Amino acid sequence: GAGVSQSPSNKVTEKGKDVELRCDPISGHTALYWYRQSLGQGLEFLIYFQGNSAPDKSGLPSDRFSAERTGGSVSTLTIQRTQQEDSAVYLCASSLAGGGNTIYFGEGSWLTVV
Amino acid sequence: GESVGLHLPTLSVQEGDNSIINCAYSNSASDYFIWYKQESGKGPQFIIDIRSNMDKRQGQRVTVLLNKTVKHLSLQIAATQPGDSAVYFCAENFAGGTSYGKLTFGQGTILTVHP
């Protein structure tokens, strides 16, 4: 597609349930990023993929968070046993490989844990 | 109820005025800087970028200035329009040895343009 596509756009889940968030990057972009934005906050880096591997997972807040990427394209961010503090907007971004390339964001998946 | 979180800097301008949004970045080794615009309920939208070997770059109605001496970045918007109302974030990147675009974002500035 023309831009970064994320689904679902909105998700309400009960505390303790698992959720999966999907990202489809811009075609040809080998670099993919997940960020999190809590209400009124800036963006917090979670994880970076180059192709299917994740050289930097340093931003994942706990072992309940994991992500994978298959075929060098679509990525899934999984949150297990969700907690209320996981409520946030989860933003996916992509770019061409290497630093200094423009990074484009999707519209985000708004997660609410009740 | 009362919202919890950071109180972002705000800038209010009249339509047609020029706007200047400032950002102090943290890492003197950062070599790539980006400004994003985020409207309510949407993801960040790329506006303009600049590399550390430059001190000024111009786009359509926007100019970014970089002062590496004091680690300061600014975004100038000419002839501001109501559609420019949004939260503006600066972001820095230190490619370093890994050479990839991990961004560190500033807290954001709320720009409100009054007709």
Side-chain angles (χ1 to χ4, degrees), chain B:
Chain B
E2 185 177 22
S3 63
V4 177
L6 291 176
H7 292 281
L8 301 181
T10 59
L11 175 64
S12 292
V13 300
Q14 291 296 126
E15 181 178 3
D17 287 352
N18 296 332
S19 303
I20 300 177
I21 300 171
N22 296 301
C23 176
Y25 64 92
S26 58
N27 188 347
S28 57
S30 290
D31 51 13
Y32 178 57
F33 304 87
I34 313 176
W35 280 100
Y36 286 95
K37 170 187 179 184
Q38 187 174 30
E39 296 174 282
S40 181
K42 296 190 174 182
Q45 176 188 354
F46 172 85
I47 302 174
I48 192 169
D49 57 6
I50 189 168
R51 300 180 194 278
S52 59
N53 61 351
M54 303 172 68
D55 53 20
K56 180 179 180 179
R57 189 166 188 221
Q58 289 185 291
Q60 186 176 13
R61 281 202 307 120
V62 294
T63 301
V64 55
L65 299 178
L66 175 63
N67 185 331
K68 295 183 288 293
T69 302
V70 295
K71 294 190 291 186
H72 184 266
L73 196 65
S74 69
L75 176 70
Q76 301 177 358
I77 305 173
T80 317
Q81 303 166 0
D84 295 328
S85 295
V87 180
Y88 288 80
F89 290 97
C90 65
E92 62 182 297
N93 173 221
F94 168 56
T98 55
S99 187
Y100 65 91
K102 178 178 177 180
L103 298 176
T104 300
F105 281 81
Q107 64 177 3
T109 296
I110 301 172
L111 174 65
T112 303
V113 183
H114 301 282

Side-chain angles (χ1 to χ4, degrees), chain A residues 20-63:
Chain A
E20 285 189 351
L21 308 176
R22 175 189 167 103
C23 173
D24 200 344
I26 293 171
S27 178
H29 282 189
T30 57
L32 184 147
Y33 312 83
W34 284 98
Y35 286 79
R36 177 169 73 172
Q37 186 175 31
S38 301
L39 185 64
Q41 306 277 344
L43 281 79
E44 171 192 14
F45 170 83
L46 297 179
I47 187 169
Y48 155 70
F49 284 93
Q50 178 54 45
N52 292 334
S53 64
D56 189 345
K57 306 178 182 180
S58 62
L60 294 177
S62 75
D63 59 8

Side-chain angles (χ1 to χ4, degrees), chain A:
Chain A
V4 178
S5 178
Q6 293 188 243
S7 62
S9 55
N10 283 284
K11 176 73 175 180
V12 180
T13 190
E14 292 181 350
K15 178 181 173 182
K17 295 286 180 69
D18 297 352
V19 297
E20 285 189 351
L21 308 176
R22 175 189 167 103
C23 173
D24 200 344
I26 293 171
S27 178
H29 282 189
T30 57
L32 184 147
Y33 312 83
W34 284 98
Y35 286 79
R36 177 169 73 172
Q37 186 175 31
S38 301
L39 185 64
Q41 306 277 344
L43 281 79
E44 171 192 14
F45 170 83
L46 297 179
I47 187 169
Y48 155 70
F49 284 93
Q50 178 54 45
N52 292 334
S53 64
D56 189 345
K57 306 178 182 180
S58 62
L60 294 177
S62 75
D63 59 8
R64 295 186 297 104
F65 288 73
S66 63
E68 65 175 12
R69 190 178 184 194
T70 55
S73 182
V74 172
S75 175
T76 302
L77 177 69
T78 301
I79 309 172
Q80 295 178 307
R81 304 181 303 282
T82 51
Q83 303 295 314
Q84 288 185 328
E85 61 264 28
D86 300 333
S87 296
V89 180
Y90 290 84
L91 290 155
C92 179
S94 71
S95 73
L96 295 172
N101 286 302
T102 305
I103 297 169
Y104 296 95
F105 281 83
E107 299 290 14
S109 291
W110 294 66
L111 175 66
T112 303
V113 182
V114 297

